[in-house]
Amino acid sequence: MRHVIALDVGGTGMKAALVGADGALLHRARRATARERGPEEVVAGILDFAAELRAYGVEHLGESAAAAGVAVPGIVDEANGIAVYAANLGWRDVDLRRLLTDRLGGIPVALGHDVRTGGLAEGRIGAGQGADRFLFVALGTGIAGAIGVDGRVEAGAHGFAGEIGHVVVRPGGTPCPCGQRGCLERFASAAAVGEAWAAACGDPEADAADCAKAVTSGDPNAVRVWQRAVDALADGLVTALTLLDPRTLIIGGGLAEAGETLFTPLRNAVRRRVTFQKLPDIAPAALGDTAGCRGAGLLAWDLLEPTDRTEVTS
């Protein structure tokens, strides 16, 4: 059966799949990145994992993978296949596409940024399916986005498109590791909400999920922390809507797991802020932790069939 290899490399673990032409996940696997052993071991682990997937396809699907797609964190030069920098993995300027192509017998390999790749999947076959313009925003440890246009995701001239987490929403506010003050992710990421709630409730182990639970129970301190995050997020999103005019706004990541505890006040907050802008459909991400693999699979299939694949099903 014709298939491609899809790898989603995270800070602590790797998710992988063999993906059929119809988008079906024919085989799934996971393993640790072993980042504690250094960047060279991380790269070696990726190459070994990809080779194992290739061998599985030969044995169980009757043929070798036709292409591979890999999603990685950090700064990514997608055009040249270079993993430029990832703080959580410790690597710099890794020619990952060439290394994987060599290891996998010369098949074409696509390299993508993890959030943009997950956003690609959400836009084509997830919550944004059928939308010609979408914006995917992931609310996790930080906040990042993917700008979708006609089934593709815009990387930008230098690979930085979609970094909505570093839009300043509170000028002069909390310092951000990027060097600015008042960045959106310092107020509305899952990590920021967790930190604020831990300080408010006095439990250093409390996180954003605990805050969401306290909001549903009516805790006034939790409501205050949560609304502060929602207001900051709405400010950042309206800036994005003004610039990009998406038809669908997809929200994913850990904070989105709060469901309507997040989406009801967020939709209201965005609605209050728009004036001339068209209000997009604001939808939760639909693919969960498979988005990265599915997106990597789409990148791989695009190498083989470089046409509009917006009708691929999940």
Side-chain angles (χ1 to χ4, degrees), residues 78-135:
E78 297 174 3
N80 294 304
I82 307 293
V84 178
Y85 175 68
N88 56 355
L89 296 176
W91 64 32
R92 288 183 182 271
D93 298 321
V94 178
D95 194 350
L96 200 53
R97 183 169 67 193
R98 179 186 61 78
L99 292 170
L100 280 163
T101 298
D102 291 347
R103 186 63 177 271
L104 296 173
I107 64 172
V109 175
L111 185 68
H113 179 271
D114 57 354
V115 174
R116 288 196 292 267
T117 301
L120 174 68
E122 284 289 351
R124 282 201 202 172
I125 62 176
Q129 187 170 8
D132 56 347
R133 302 287 191 279
F134 69 87
L135 175 63

Side-chain angles (χ1 to χ4, degrees), residues 7-304:
L7 275 168
D8 179 17
V9 181
T12 58
M14 295 184 281
K15 296 184 284 288
L18 298 180
V19 185
D22 62 353
L25 302 182
L26 306 174
H27 169 66
R28 296 173 65 181
R30 293 176 182 253
R31 69 162 49 175
T33 57
R35 64 177 179 173
E36 68 279 359
R37 292 187 288 199
E40 293 81 9
E41 287 297 315
V42 172
V43 173
I46 293 170
L47 299 178
D48 289 346
F49 200 14
E52 289 175 16
L53 291 161
R54 179 174 181 265
Y56 184 96
V58 171
E59 181 178 353
H60 296 275
L61 301 177
E63 60 181 287
S64 181
V70 186
V72 298
I75 302 170
V76 184
D77 180 349
E78 297 174 3
N80 294 304
I82 307 293
V84 178
Y85 175 68
N88 56 355
L89 296 176
W91 64 32
R92 288 183 182 271
D93 298 321
V94 178
D95 194 350
L96 200 53
R97 183 169 67 193
R98 179 186 61 78
L99 292 170
L100 280 163
T101 298
D102 291 347
R103 186 63 177 271
L104 296 173
I107 64 172
V109 175
L111 185 68
H113 179 271
D114 57 354
V115 174
R116 288 196 292 267
T117 301
L120 174 68
E122 284 289 351
R124 282 201 202 172
I125 62 176
Q129 187 170 8
D132 56 347
R133 302 287 191 279
F134 69 87
L135 175 63
F136 170 72
V137 178
L139 309 175
T141 302
I143 297 179
I147 302 164
V149 181
D150 292 333
R152 307 284 172 177
V153 169
E154 173 59 48
H158 308 96
F160 293 110
E163 289 291 348
I164 187 175
H166 296 290
V167 169
V168 174
V169 294
R170 299 291 180 266
T174 306
C176 179
C178 80
Q180 298 187 114
R181 300 180 70 93
C183 288
L184 176 60
E185 70 175 42
R186 296 305 301 135
F187 297 91
S189 64
V193 173
E195 289 172 11
W197 177 234
C201 73
D203 177 3
E205 301 300 316
D207 60 13
D210 297 322
C211 185
K213 291 175 185 175
V215 169
T216 61
S217 69
D219 185 306
N221 285 329
V223 170
R224 175 181 53 79
V225 168
W226 196 257
Q227 192 61 50
R228 177 174 178 257
V230 167
D231 286 340
L233 181 56
D235 288 340
L237 291 177
V238 170
T239 296
L241 302 185
T242 305
L243 290 171
L244 302 173
D245 187 26
R247 198 171 305 278
T248 303
L249 174 57
I250 307 163
I251 308 294
L255 207 62
E257 294 176 6
E260 287 306 312
T261 301
L262 174 67
F263 284 93
T264 296
L266 180 61
R267 291 187 184 106
N268 291 335
V270 172
R271 187 178 296 110
R272 288 195 302 270
R273 284 163 171 78
V274 296
T275 53
F276 66 89
Q277 304 93 335
K278 288 290 186 180
L279 191 66
D281 177 34
I282 301 177
L287 301 177
D289 70 353
T290 71
C293 272
R294 290 181 184 273
L298 290 170
L299 291 178
W301 280 113
D302 283 351
L303 294 175
L304 303 171

